[in-house]
Amino acid sequence: MTFKYSHTFPISGPNKLPRFKQWAAENIPGVAVSLPPQVPVKSTALTVRLRSAEDRDTLMGKLAGVSF
């Protein structure tokens, strides 16, 4: 399957991927995401790849007002 769409959002601190995976499992269980293999600790953003524009819109809507 291809992940043609992406969304980048601010996130800081260590363990970005596990924190996002847990949040995604709780808040958007029906949306498949592709994450990078690792993210540097100093990075302040995370790019998530998604299968469809609808999935991207769902993710953006759920992320509104959430701080990581």
Side-chain angles (χ1 to χ4, degrees):
M1 295 189 191
T2 59
F3 293 85
K4 297 180 181 180
Y5 299 88
S6 65
H7 180 64
T8 302
F9 59 93
I11 185 171
S12 60
N15 301 316
K16 292 171 186 66
L17 296 176
R19 286 188 290 143
F20 178 76
K21 286 179 186 178
Q22 180 181 0
W23 179 88
E26 294 170 1
N27 294 286
I28 53 170
V31 176
V33 297
S34 176
L35 299 170
Q38 61 186 0
V39 179
V41 172
K42 292 183 179 183
S43 176
T44 60
L46 176 63
T47 299
V48 178
R49 299 196 45 87
L50 302 130
R51 288 187 190 159
S52 69
E54 293 81 18
D55 289 347
R56 183 179 59 196
D57 293 340
T58 301
L59 174 66
M60 290 170 53
K62 293 283 187 172
L63 281 174
V66 174
S67 64
F68 285 98

